[in-house]
Amino acid sequence: MRELTVNLEERSYPIYIGEGLLTRAGDLLLKHGLSTKSPLLIVTDDRVGPLYLDSLTSTLEASGFNPVSFVVPAGEQSKSLDVFQSIITKALEVGLDRKSAVIALGGGVVGDLAGYVAAAYMRGVRFVQIPTTILAHDSSVGGKVAVNHPKAKNIIGAFHQPELVLYDLDTLKSLPPREVRSGLAEVIKHGLIWDEEFVKWCDDNAERLLALDPEALGYALYKGCSVKAAVVSEDETEQGLRAILNLGHTIGHALEAVAGYNELQHGEAISIGMIGSAMLGVQLGAPIEVYERTRRALGLVGLPTTLPEHLNTDRIMEALMHDKKFGEGKLVFVVPTAIGKVEIRNDIRSEWIFAIVERLKREESWT
Amino acid sequence: MRELTVNLEERSYPIYIGEGLLTRAGDLLLKHGLSTKSPLLIVTDDRVGPLYLDSLTSTLEASGFNPVSFVVPAGEQSKSLDVFQSIITKALEVGLDRKSAVIALGGGVVGDLAGYVAAAYMRGVRFVQIPTTILAHDSSVGGKVAVNHPKAKNIIGAFHQPELVLYDLDTLKSLPPREVRSGLAEVIKHGLIWDEEFVKWCDDNAERLLALDPEALGYALYKGCSVKAAVVSEDETEQGLRAILNLGHTIGHALEAVAGYNELQHGEAISIGMIGSAMLGVQLGAPIEVYERTRRALGLVGLPTTLPEHLNTDRIMEALMHDKKFGEGKLVFVVPTAIGKVEIRNDIRSEWIFAIVERLKREESWT
Ligand SMILES: NC(=O)c1ccc[n+]([C@@H]2O[C@H](COP(=O)([O-])OP(=O)(O)OC[C@H]3O[C@@H](n4cnc5c(N)ncnc54)[C@H](O)[C@@H]3O)[C@@H](O)[C@H]2O)c1
Ligand SMILES: NC(=O)c1ccc[n+]([C@@H]2O[C@H](COP(=O)([O-])OP(=O)(O)OC[C@H]3O[C@@H](n4cnc5c(N)ncnc54)[C@H](O)[C@@H]3O)[C@@H](O)[C@H]2O)c1
Ligand SMILES: [Zn+2]
Ligand SMILES: [Zn+2]
């Protein structure tokens, strides 16, 4: 088992990564002082629940906890105020109190949703993250929780740190391969913004990662979480530095808005977005290898590196500009200056992005 | 104009109390660094809006701000997730961004609701309180914001401190007399828990307060806010001390639940509740004058000091026990030990409360 700490003074918490952790959940929650007198509310979805809920419930009961559960439909549409309200109703029905905790068992959707319940219920109760996707190594660390509004993603939310994050590598075995690849995009992102060595390691271990080799996967998630933890420790509420975590996301979000989710998953969209950002970096003076190595790292785990041609560039630009409206009127870009180093720029001209989007479609390889 | 500060380190903020402040709102917001580039969202209700919204909007515009407004129906039922969501929709439509602020213009309902929007939108934007009821001297200070669930009041919320509180005494002139009295209950509460001198002052100035004499009212609100600010500065998120602000509220909430709002307003219910708590205090050893002076102070401003007989004691006890369910299984009572001093007790037996509720009905005066 690997362990690391997110340092946030009195809100610091550990991340445990390893095999078989689900069956140790009871012990770990006891160790962290969660109350056995007050009910625990487990939130999960209808794909993860059938696989792991019974096991989690039994281990918690064996340790003397009193867990109840609420299962939401799998998928982004559960991150809504309606589902949020039904979980609050459940919490009231089972008498969740100030000493209770909410436990998220699932991917980023469940984590964000359950986390927002924990942030809001009685103005905040304790929260435990049990991530079951690779992407959720990102979403379960850092305390950003939210639900969506029909017109904007993650617009209703809070910063609410968990008490602990419990990452059982065994649960990742049931992940569809496309979810594996999509999650690896964020792992590689953490290398690209912070740690050149780790990017090299990902290249060398791409095969093992795709095969979910527990040793490789454990290390990769440990490194990914470490970068996220380091950034969040310095800038919990995104006053500055934390924005570097958005590498590839400005273009990525626009692509997600224009393509359907089935065509481009989040990790796939930001893979293309990170390649676009690398192009931008080169254009602004970074060495060409920044682009080449970004492209290589993502390609090696089977992520898309070019943009489907039928996605309309004007619509992508519109989606970008829509985002801009909420960022104080400026296009904000995270731009790599080297592998493992980025800067935040707000002087990016939309013509440059237009050209890059076109280029992302046209060329198999840019160089 | 009186000014005081709520000390919460980097979240400290001023409270301004005085006449004609609404027309100075633009200046004060500029002084506190609110952005004229990003839209401001004013939330008000359909009683307060017609009286003061135009004036607020003009002064803000004159200072270069770009205010937009959203009017909700007056009354507690607006503190709902539905209304919350429609305000978020409005915020998105007008392009509220991270530098924007939400302004609450109204009583505690508008303050709690708008404050929760400010807490949740983009995980938190700036917030300004412009309270227009006497009760709101309590609700506008301290950062507790929330909406209700059909099954529980204030169950969905956050701690989100305002940037400033702007209390224009002129706006209080349009308050119905019953709202005036109800608000004075919380003013007197602040004396009873913290400041014997001030209780005496309230006795001596009851007439002037009821007549909304600006000098007396300004002083009373200043003192009330000072007590609230002192308590909140020591215990922002209610880990301990802050609970003393609930004097009279355990019984009061139960009375509210059993009587209709029309029969007992919040201030009226806690007036009776505070008298019950004083009885409890005497029973536990406080001098009888604690009861007598509590009763006298509340009676002098026309608040009820006995309980309508037709309210069923068993139902009141049930409502109390229901509250208990959410307080880790114990009845928690704030009990006066002297005028201006209270302690928090969790060893109160329900039979004692039963007897006190009965007594609150039977006797014109206890002694
Ligand atoms: N809070 C943050 O900082 C942050 C960061 C990044 C992303 N996010 C959010 O995360 C969400 C995406 O997360 P996600 O990709 O994990 O999505 P997800 O939770 O929807 O999971 C993807 C799919 O995999 C299924 N699944 C999950 N675990 C499984 C398992 N072990 N075996 C089989 N199937 C499993 C789910 O049921 C779902 O169908 C988005 O809503 C995004 O906004 C949040
Ligand atoms: N956040 C906190 O710490 C806290 C503390 C105490 C109470 N509260 C909340 O405050 C709410 C009660 O506040 P309230 O009593 O101010 O209720 P309110 O906001 O409903 O106002 C009472 C009535 O007076 C009207 N009104 C307001 N200002 C007026 C004015 N200047 N002239 C004429 N009419 C006016 C309103 O339209 C409403 O009809 C409750 O929801 C309670 O939960 C919150
Ligand atoms: Zn992402
Ligand atoms: Zn009150």
Side-chain angles (χ1 to χ4, degrees):
Chain A
M1 181 174 84
R2 290 187 164 85
E3 183 180 341
L4 70 112
T5 304
V6 184
N7 289 310
L8 288 165
E9 285 159 33
E10 74 286 359
R11 289 187 306 291
S12 296
Y13 55 95
I15 305 171
Y16 299 106
I17 303 169
E19 296 169 85
L21 286 188
L22 208 56
T23 58
R24 293 181 49 197
D27 284 355
L28 288 166
L29 264 62
L30 278 182
K31 180 178 155 194
H32 286 279
L34 280 99
S35 165
T36 54
K37 290 197 198 111
S38 301
L40 298 175
L41 178 60
I42 305 171
V43 179
T44 189
D45 74 27
D46 59 13
R47 290 207 196 159
V48 178
L51 298 172
Y52 307 112
L53 183 56
D54 280 351
S55 151
L56 177 60
T57 302
S58 334
T59 167
L60 291 175
E61 283 171 349
S63 293
F65 289 103
N66 169 19
V68 290
S69 60
F70 191 90
V71 181
V72 306
E76 185 72 25
Q77 70 284 0
S78 280
K79 267 176 66 175
S80 71
L81 270 187
D82 278 356
V83 177
F84 167 81
Q85 179 156 21
S86 32
I87 304 177
I88 299 275
T89 304
K90 177 79 178 187
L92 284 166
E93 280 165 7
V94 302
L96 223 68
D97 66 41
R98 285 179 207 290
K99 290 264 165 76
S100 288
V102 176
I103 301 180
L105 173 69
V109 162
V110 163
D112 282 12
L113 171 67
Y116 191 50
V117 170
Y121 187 73
M122 294 182 157
R123 301 193 181 88
V125 295
R126 302 175 83 175
F127 177 42
V128 175
Q129 285 269 22
I130 308 189
T132 66
T133 65
I134 293 178
L135 186 133
H137 89 282
D138 186 13
S139 57
S140 64
V141 176
K144 277 195 182 177
V145 296
V147 296
N148 303 326
H149 180 280
K151 291 192 176 168
K153 222 175 112 83
N154 294 330
I155 202 75
I156 300 168
F159 290 93
H160 191 66
Q161 302 291 344
E163 298 285 317
L164 75 160
V165 181
L166 209 154
Y167 220 138
D168 184 345
L169 299 172
D170 292 339
T171 63
L172 302 175
K173 290 186 181 135
S174 52
L175 272 181
R178 199 174 167 194
E179 296 289 347
V180 170
R181 288 193 301 269
S182 190
L184 288 174
E186 304 272 10
V187 172
I188 293 170
K189 178 194 80 179
H190 285 130
L192 290 171
I193 62 173
W194 199 262
D195 188 340
E196 179 181 5
E197 273 298 296
F198 178 51
V199 176
K200 202 175 164 327
W201 183 94
C202 288
D203 288 355
D204 296 343
N205 292 274
E207 293 291 317
R208 290 172 71 207
L209 289 173
L210 290 170
L212 298 176
D213 171 283
E215 182 45 38
L217 197 58
Y219 179 75
L221 293 175
Y222 173 79
K223 291 298 280 184
C225 289
S226 306
V227 173
K228 177 96 188 224
V231 172
V232 167
S233 297
E234 277 190 45
D235 178 18
E236 185 177 8
T237 56
E238 194 155 346
Q239 305 303 312
L241 180 73
R242 187 165 178 160
I244 70 172
L245 297 169
N246 295 327
L247 176 68
H249 282 63
T250 313
I251 293 176
H253 284 155
L255 300 182
E256 283 181 282
V258 172
Y261 180 74
N262 251 329
E263 178 162 8
L264 276 187
Q265 287 198 340
H266 179 68
E268 295 166 350
I270 67 155
S271 174
I272 303 168
M274 288 191 280
I275 292 170
S277 308
M279 288 174 169
L280 190 58
V282 172
Q283 181 175 335
L284 294 168
I288 184 78
E289 59 135 353
V290 167
Y291 163 75
E292 289 165 348
R293 289 185 57 191
T294 300
R295 198 170 190 283
R296 175 179 154 81
L298 295 162
L300 279 170
V301 295
L303 282 161
T305 55
T306 55
L307 186 59
E309 244 179 280
H310 68 96
L311 294 179
N312 185 281
T313 304
D314 288 326
R315 291 200 48 217
I316 294 170
M317 293 307 295
E318 263 168 48
L320 268 165
M321 293 304 151
H322 181 79
D323 251 24
K324 170 177 132 169
K325 200 170 113 190
F326 300 109
E328 298 145 42
K330 279 189 195 130
L331 270 181
V332 179
F333 267 87
V334 184
V335 183
T337 54
I339 294 293
K341 280 217 170 61
V342 292
E343 61 181 7
I344 297 168
R345 303 275 299 236
N346 59 13
D347 58 348
I348 303 303
R349 289 168 54 182
S350 63
E351 311 90 86
W352 303 347
I353 304 304
F354 187 96
I356 282 172
V357 171
E358 288 281 298
R359 221 183 270 152
L360 280 167
K361 285 187 199 171
R362 276 201 318 270
E363 297 169 45
E364 253 314 292
S365 167
W366 187 37
T367 44
Chain B
M1 181 174 83
R2 289 187 165 85
E3 183 179 341
L4 70 110
T5 305
V6 184
N7 289 310
L8 288 165
E9 284 160 34
E10 73 287 1
R11 289 186 304 292
S12 296
Y13 54 94
I15 304 171
Y16 299 106
I17 303 170
E19 294 170 88
L21 285 188
L22 209 56
T23 57
R24 293 179 49 197
D27 283 356
L28 288 166
L29 265 63
L30 278 181
K31 179 178 158 195
H32 285 279
L34 279 99
S35 165
T36 53
K37 290 194 196 113
S38 301
L40 297 176
L41 178 60
I42 306 170
V43 178
T44 189
D45 74 26
D46 59 13
R47 289 207 197 157
V48 179
L51 298 172
Y52 307 112
L53 183 56
D54 281 352
S55 151
L56 176 60
T57 303
S58 334
T59 167
L60 291 175
E61 283 171 349
S63 293
F65 289 103
N66 170 20
V68 289
S69 60
F70 191 89
V71 181
V72 305
E76 185 72 25
Q77 70 285 359
S78 281
K79 267 176 66 175
S80 71
L81 269 185
D82 278 356
V83 176
F84 167 81
Q85 179 156 21
S86 32
I87 304 177
I88 299 275
T89 304
K90 177 77 177 188
L92 284 166
E93 280 165 7
V94 302
L96 222 70
D97 65 44
R98 285 179 207 289
K99 291 263 164 77
S100 289
V102 176
I103 302 179
L105 172 69
V109 163
V110 162
D112 282 12
L113 171 67
Y116 191 51
V117 170
Y121 187 72
M122 294 182 158
R123 300 194 182 86
V125 296
R126 302 174 85 176
F127 178 41
V128 175
Q129 286 269 23
I130 307 187
T132 66
T133 64
I134 294 177
L135 185 133
H137 89 280
D138 186 13
S139 57
S140 65
V141 176
K144 276 196 184 179
V145 296
V147 296
N148 303 327
H149 180 279
K151 291 192 177 170
K153 223 176 111 86
N154 294 331
I155 202 77
I156 299 168
F159 290 93
H160 191 67
Q161 303 291 346
E163 298 285 318
L164 73 161
V165 180
L166 210 154
Y167 220 137
D168 184 344
L169 298 172
D170 292 339
T171 63
L172 302 175
K173 293 188 181 133
S174 51
L175 273 181
R178 200 174 166 195
E179 297 290 346
V180 170
R181 288 193 300 270
S182 190
L184 289 174
E186 304 272 10
V187 171
I188 293 170
K189 177 194 80 179
H190 286 130
L192 291 172
I193 62 173
W194 199 262
D195 187 340
E196 179 181 4
E197 272 298 297
F198 178 51
V199 176
K200 201 175 166 328
W201 183 93
C202 287
D203 288 354
D204 296 342
N205 292 275
E207 293 291 318
R208 291 172 70 207
L209 288 174
L210 289 170
L212 299 176
D213 171 283
E215 182 47 36
L217 197 58
Y219 178 75
L221 294 175
Y222 173 79
K223 291 298 280 183
C225 289
S226 306
V227 172
K228 177 97 188 221
V231 173
V232 167
S233 297
E234 277 189 44
D235 178 19
E236 185 178 7
T237 56
E238 196 156 344
Q239 305 304 311
L241 180 71
R242 188 165 177 160
I244 70 173
L245 297 170
N246 295 326
L247 177 68
H249 281 63
T250 312
I251 294 176
H253 284 156
L255 300 182
E256 284 181 282
V258 173
Y261 181 74
N262 252 329
E263 178 163 8
L264 276 187
Q265 288 199 338
H266 178 69
E268 294 165 351
I270 68 155
S271 174
I272 302 168
M274 288 190 280
I275 292 170
S277 309
M279 289 174 169
L280 190 57
V282 172
Q283 179 174 336
L284 294 168
I288 185 78
E289 60 136 350
V290 167
Y291 163 76
E292 289 165 347
R293 289 186 57 190
T294 299
R295 198 171 188 284
R296 176 178 152 80
L298 295 163
L300 279 170
V301 296
L303 283 162
T305 55
T306 55
L307 187 59
E309 246 180 277
H310 68 96
L311 294 179
N312 184 281
T313 304
D314 288 325
R315 290 199 49 216
I316 294 171
M317 292 309 293
E318 264 168 47
L320 269 165
M321 293 304 151
H322 180 81
D323 250 24
K324 171 177 131 170
K325 199 171 115 190
F326 300 110
E328 297 145 42
K330 280 188 194 127
L331 270 181
V332 179
F333 266 86
V334 184
V335 182
T337 54
I339 294 293
K341 280 215 171 59
V342 292
E343 60 181 8
I344 297 168
R345 304 274 298 236
N346 59 13
D347 57 350
I348 303 303
R349 289 167 55 180
S350 62
E351 311 90 86
W352 302 347
I353 303 304
F354 188 97
I356 282 173
V357 171
E358 288 282 297
R359 218 183 274 152
L360 280 167
K361 285 185 198 173
R362 278 200 319 268
E363 296 169 47
E364 252 314 290
S365 167
W366 186 37
T367 43

PDB file of all heavy atoms in Angstrom, chain A residues 249-269:
ATOM      1  N   HIS A 249      -7.501  21.718 -21.091  1.00  0.00           N
ATOM      2  CA  HIS A 249      -8.929  21.752 -20.789  1.00  0.00           C
ATOM      3  C   HIS A 249      -9.677  22.866 -21.500  1.00  0.00           C
ATOM      4  O   HIS A 249     -10.882  22.764 -21.690  1.00  0.00           O
ATOM      5  CB  HIS A 249      -9.156  21.832 -19.279  1.00  0.00           C
ATOM      6  CG  HIS A 249      -8.988  20.505 -18.589  1.00  0.00           C
ATOM      7  ND1 HIS A 249      -7.784  19.827 -18.565  1.00  0.00           N
ATOM      8  CD2 HIS A 249      -9.874  19.706 -17.924  1.00  0.00           C
ATOM      9  CE1 HIS A 249      -7.934  18.691 -17.903  1.00  0.00           C
ATOM     10  NE2 HIS A 249      -9.190  18.588 -17.499  1.00  0.00           N
ATOM     11  N   THR A 250      -8.991  23.949 -21.869  1.00  0.00           N
ATOM     12  CA  THR A 250      -9.711  25.034 -22.551  1.00  0.00           C
ATOM     13  C   THR A 250     -10.203  24.531 -23.910  1.00  0.00           C
ATOM     14  O   THR A 250     -11.399  24.583 -24.219  1.00  0.00           O
ATOM     15  CB  THR A 250      -8.804  26.272 -22.722  1.00  0.00           C
ATOM     16  OG1 THR A 250      -8.164  26.542 -21.482  1.00  0.00           O
ATOM     17  CG2 THR A 250      -9.618  27.482 -23.145  1.00  0.00           C
ATOM     18  N   ILE A 251      -9.278  23.988 -24.675  1.00  0.00           N
ATOM     19  CA  ILE A 251      -9.691  23.381 -25.950  1.00  0.00           C
ATOM     20  C   ILE A 251     -10.542  22.136 -25.681  1.00  0.00           C
ATOM     21  O   ILE A 251     -11.588  21.929 -26.296  1.00  0.00           O
ATOM     22  CB  ILE A 251      -8.460  23.023 -26.814  1.00  0.00           C
ATOM     23  CG1 ILE A 251      -7.731  24.309 -27.261  1.00  0.00           C
ATOM     24  CG2 ILE A 251      -8.876  22.190 -28.027  1.00  0.00           C
ATOM     25  CD1 ILE A 251      -6.437  24.068 -28.042  1.00  0.00           C
ATOM     26  N   GLY A 252     -10.127  21.331 -24.724  1.00  0.00           N
ATOM     27  CA  GLY A 252     -10.819  20.076 -24.420  1.00  0.00           C
ATOM     28  C   GLY A 252     -12.306  20.285 -24.121  1.00  0.00           C
ATOM     29  O   GLY A 252     -13.160  19.593 -24.675  1.00  0.00           O
ATOM     30  N   HIS A 253     -12.607  21.253 -23.273  1.00  0.00           N
ATOM     31  CA  HIS A 253     -14.012  21.511 -22.952  1.00  0.00           C
ATOM     32  C   HIS A 253     -14.795  21.936 -24.189  1.00  0.00           C
ATOM     33  O   HIS A 253     -15.955  21.550 -24.360  1.00  0.00           O
ATOM     34  CB  HIS A 253     -14.129  22.591 -21.872  1.00  0.00           C
ATOM     35  CG  HIS A 253     -13.794  22.096 -20.500  1.00  0.00           C
ATOM     36  ND1 HIS A 253     -13.344  22.924 -19.494  1.00  0.00           N
ATOM     37  CD2 HIS A 253     -13.852  20.853 -19.960  1.00  0.00           C
ATOM     38  CE1 HIS A 253     -13.117  22.213 -18.400  1.00  0.00           C
ATOM     39  NE2 HIS A 253     -13.429  20.952 -18.650  1.00  0.00           N
ATOM     40  N   ALA A 254     -14.172  22.732 -25.014  1.00  0.00           N
ATOM     41  CA  ALA A 254     -14.861  23.172 -26.233  1.00  0.00           C
ATOM     42  C   ALA A 254     -15.144  21.960 -27.130  1.00  0.00           C
ATOM     43  O   ALA A 254     -16.230  21.835 -27.703  1.00  0.00           O
ATOM     44  CB  ALA A 254     -14.021  24.223 -26.966  1.00  0.00           C
ATOM     45  N   LEU A 255     -14.182  21.058 -27.228  1.00  0.00           N
ATOM     46  CA  LEU A 255     -14.397  19.859 -28.042  1.00  0.00           C
ATOM     47  C   LEU A 255     -15.525  19.008 -27.464  1.00  0.00           C
ATOM     48  O   LEU A 255     -16.395  18.531 -28.187  1.00  0.00           O
ATOM     49  CB  LEU A 255     -13.114  19.015 -28.115  1.00  0.00           C
ATOM     50  CG  LEU A 255     -11.882  19.717 -28.720  1.00  0.00           C
ATOM     51  CD1 LEU A 255     -10.699  18.748 -28.773  1.00  0.00           C
ATOM     52  CD2 LEU A 255     -12.201  20.243 -30.111  1.00  0.00           C
ATOM     53  N   GLU A 256     -15.526  18.860 -26.141  1.00  0.00           N
ATOM     54  CA  GLU A 256     -16.602  18.092 -25.500  1.00  0.00           C
ATOM     55  C   GLU A 256     -17.953  18.710 -25.789  1.00  0.00           C
ATOM     56  O   GLU A 256     -18.954  18.025 -25.981  1.00  0.00           O
ATOM     57  CB  GLU A 256     -16.403  18.049 -23.979  1.00  0.00           C
ATOM     58  CG  GLU A 256     -15.335  17.082 -23.528  1.00  0.00           C
ATOM     59  CD  GLU A 256     -15.210  17.076 -22.002  1.00  0.00           C
ATOM     60  OE1 GLU A 256     -14.585  18.014 -21.463  1.00  0.00           O
ATOM     61  OE2 GLU A 256     -15.747  16.163 -21.368  1.00  0.00           O
ATOM     62  N   ALA A 257     -18.009  20.053 -25.782  1.00  0.00           N
ATOM     63  CA  ALA A 257     -19.285  20.731 -26.009  1.00  0.00           C
ATOM     64  C   ALA A 257     -19.773  20.502 -27.432  1.00  0.00           C
ATOM     65  O   ALA A 257     -20.971  20.395 -27.672  1.00  0.00           O
ATOM     66  CB  ALA A 257     -19.140  22.229 -25.727  1.00  0.00           C
ATOM     67  N   VAL A 258     -18.845  20.397 -28.369  1.00  0.00           N
ATOM     68  CA  VAL A 258     -19.242  20.290 -29.777  1.00  0.00           C
ATOM     69  C   VAL A 258     -19.457  18.837 -30.195  1.00  0.00           C
ATOM     70  O   VAL A 258     -20.432  18.517 -30.880  1.00  0.00           O
ATOM     71  CB  VAL A 258     -18.200  21.000 -30.677  1.00  0.00           C
ATOM     72  CG1 VAL A 258     -18.491  20.741 -32.141  1.00  0.00           C
ATOM     73  CG2 VAL A 258     -18.202  22.495 -30.376  1.00  0.00           C
ATOM     74  N   ALA A 259     -18.563  17.933 -29.770  1.00  0.00           N
ATOM     75  CA  ALA A 259     -18.759  16.507 -30.068  1.00  0.00           C
ATOM     76  C   ALA A 259     -19.713  15.936 -29.024  1.00  0.00           C
ATOM     77  O   ALA A 259     -19.886  16.502 -27.950  1.00  0.00           O
ATOM     78  CB  ALA A 259     -17.431  15.774 -29.991  1.00  0.00           C
ATOM     79  N   GLY A 260     -20.382  14.843 -29.327  1.00  0.00           N
ATOM     80  CA  GLY A 260     -21.149  14.168 -28.278  1.00  0.00           C
ATOM     81  C   GLY A 260     -20.180  13.451 -27.348  1.00  0.00           C
ATOM     82  O   GLY A 260     -19.040  13.186 -27.714  1.00  0.00           O
ATOM     83  N   TYR A 261     -20.651  13.129 -26.135  1.00  0.00           N
ATOM     84  CA  TYR A 261     -19.803  12.435 -25.174  1.00  0.00           C
ATOM     85  C   TYR A 261     -19.374  11.079 -25.723  1.00  0.00           C
ATOM     86  O   TYR A 261     -18.268  10.623 -25.492  1.00  0.00           O
ATOM     87  CB  TYR A 261     -20.568  12.254 -23.854  1.00  0.00           C
ATOM     88  CG  TYR A 261     -19.768  11.549 -22.783  1.00  0.00           C
ATOM     89  CD1 TYR A 261     -18.739  12.209 -22.121  1.00  0.00           C
ATOM     90  CD2 TYR A 261     -20.038  10.236 -22.440  1.00  0.00           C
ATOM     91  CE1 TYR A 261     -17.998  11.567 -21.137  1.00  0.00           C
ATOM     92  CE2 TYR A 261     -19.301   9.585 -21.450  1.00  0.00           C
ATOM     93  CZ  TYR A 261     -18.286  10.260 -20.802  1.00  0.00           C
ATOM     94  OH  TYR A 261     -17.557   9.623 -19.829  1.00  0.00           O
ATOM     95  N   ASN A 262     -20.272  10.458 -26.493  1.00  0.00           N
ATOM     96  CA  ASN A 262     -19.923   9.159 -27.058  1.00  0.00           C
ATOM     97  C   ASN A 262     -18.779   9.247 -28.040  1.00  0.00           C
ATOM     98  O   ASN A 262     -17.948   8.363 -28.147  1.00  0.00           O
ATOM     99  CB  ASN A 262     -21.141   8.543 -27.747  1.00  0.00           C
ATOM    100  CG  ASN A 262     -21.640   7.365 -26.941  1.00  0.00           C
ATOM    101  OD1 ASN A 262     -20.824   6.711 -26.299  1.00  0.00           O
ATOM    102  ND2 ASN A 262     -22.924   7.127 -26.980  1.00  0.00           N
ATOM    103  N   GLU A 263     -18.740  10.363 -28.752  1.00  0.00           N
ATOM    104  CA  GLU A 263     -17.659  10.510 -29.719  1.00  0.00           C
ATOM    105  C   GLU A 263     -16.347  10.841 -29.007  1.00  0.00           C
ATOM    106  O   GLU A 263     -15.307  10.303 -29.367  1.00  0.00           O
ATOM    107  CB  GLU A 263     -17.997  11.609 -30.733  1.00  0.00           C
ATOM    108  CG  GLU A 263     -16.836  11.799 -31.701  1.00  0.00           C
ATOM    109  CD  GLU A 263     -17.223  12.534 -32.981  1.00  0.00           C
ATOM    110  OE1 GLU A 263     -18.366  13.030 -33.047  1.00  0.00           O
ATOM    111  OE2 GLU A 263     -16.375  12.597 -33.878  1.00  0.00           O
ATOM    112  N   LEU A 264     -16.383  11.733 -28.024  1.00  0.00           N
ATOM    113  CA  LEU A 264     -15.160  12.124 -27.320  1.00  0.00           C
ATOM    114  C   LEU A 264     -15.393  12.131 -25.825  1.00  0.00           C
ATOM    115  O   LEU A 264     -16.158  12.945 -25.314  1.00  0.00           O
ATOM    116  CB  LEU A 264     -14.734  13.536 -27.744  1.00  0.00           C
ATOM    117  CG  LEU A 264     -13.902  13.735 -29.000  1.00  0.00           C
ATOM    118  CD1 LEU A 264     -13.479  15.191 -29.097  1.00  0.00           C
ATOM    119  CD2 LEU A 264     -12.670  12.825 -29.035  1.00  0.00           C
ATOM    120  N   GLN A 265     -14.743  11.236 -25.134  1.00  0.00           N
ATOM    121  CA  GLN A 265     -14.801  11.281 -23.677  1.00  0.00           C
ATOM    122  C   GLN A 265     -13.890  12.390 -23.169  1.00  0.00           C
ATOM    123  O   GLN A 265     -13.025  12.880 -23.904  1.00  0.00           O
ATOM    124  CB  GLN A 265     -14.326   9.945 -23.124  1.00  0.00           C
ATOM    125  CG  GLN A 265     -15.342   8.853 -23.336  1.00  0.00           C
ATOM    126  CD  GLN A 265     -15.061   7.691 -22.411  1.00  0.00           C
ATOM    127  OE1 GLN A 265     -13.960   7.561 -21.920  1.00  0.00           O
ATOM    128  NE2 GLN A 265     -16.067   6.872 -22.183  1.00  0.00           N
ATOM    129  N   HIS A 266     -14.058  12.710 -21.883  1.00  0.00           N
ATOM    130  CA  HIS A 266     -13.274  13.812 -21.324  1.00  0.00           C
ATOM    131  C   HIS A 266     -11.768  13.630 -21.550  1.00  0.00           C
ATOM    132  O   HIS A 266     -11.088  14.533 -22.043  1.00  0.00           O
ATOM    133  CB  HIS A 266     -13.567  13.958 -19.828  1.00  0.00           C
ATOM    134  CG  HIS A 266     -12.793  15.053 -19.169  1.00  0.00           C
ATOM    135  ND1 HIS A 266     -13.018  16.385 -19.442  1.00  0.00           N
ATOM    136  CD2 HIS A 266     -11.773  15.020 -18.269  1.00  0.00           C
ATOM    137  CE1 HIS A 266     -12.172  17.127 -18.716  1.00  0.00           C
ATOM    138  NE2 HIS A 266     -11.415  16.324 -17.999  1.00  0.00           N
ATOM    139  N   GLY A 267     -11.254  12.462 -21.222  1.00  0.00           N
ATOM    140  CA  GLY A 267      -9.814  12.220 -21.363  1.00  0.00           C
ATOM    141  C   GLY A 267      -9.359  12.326 -22.813  1.00  0.00           C
ATOM    142  O   GLY A 267      -8.248  12.795 -23.095  1.00  0.00           O
ATOM    143  N   GLU A 268     -10.224  11.892 -23.721  1.00  0.00           N
ATOM    144  CA  GLU A 268      -9.878  11.967 -25.141  1.00  0.00           C
ATOM    145  C   GLU A 268      -9.840  13.420 -25.598  1.00  0.00           C
ATOM    146  O   GLU A 268      -8.942  13.850 -26.320  1.00  0.00           O
ATOM    147  CB  GLU A 268     -10.886  11.157 -25.957  1.00  0.00           C
ATOM    148  CG  GLU A 268     -10.818   9.663 -25.629  1.00  0.00           C
ATOM    149  CD  GLU A 268     -12.004   8.851 -26.132  1.00  0.00           C
ATOM    150  OE1 GLU A 268     -13.004   9.459 -26.589  1.00  0.00           O
ATOM    151  OE2 GLU A 268     -11.949   7.620 -26.049  1.00  0.00           O
ATOM    152  N   ALA A 269     -10.833  14.172 -25.146  1.00  0.00           N
ATOM    153  CA  ALA A 269     -10.895  15.589 -25.537  1.00  0.00           C
ATOM    154  C   ALA A 269      -9.675  16.347 -25.000  1.00  0.00           C
ATOM    155  O   ALA A 269      -9.079  17.159 -25.709  1.00  0.00           O
ATOM    156  CB  ALA A 269     -12.192  16.214 -25.018  1.00  0.00           C
TER     157      ALA A 269
END
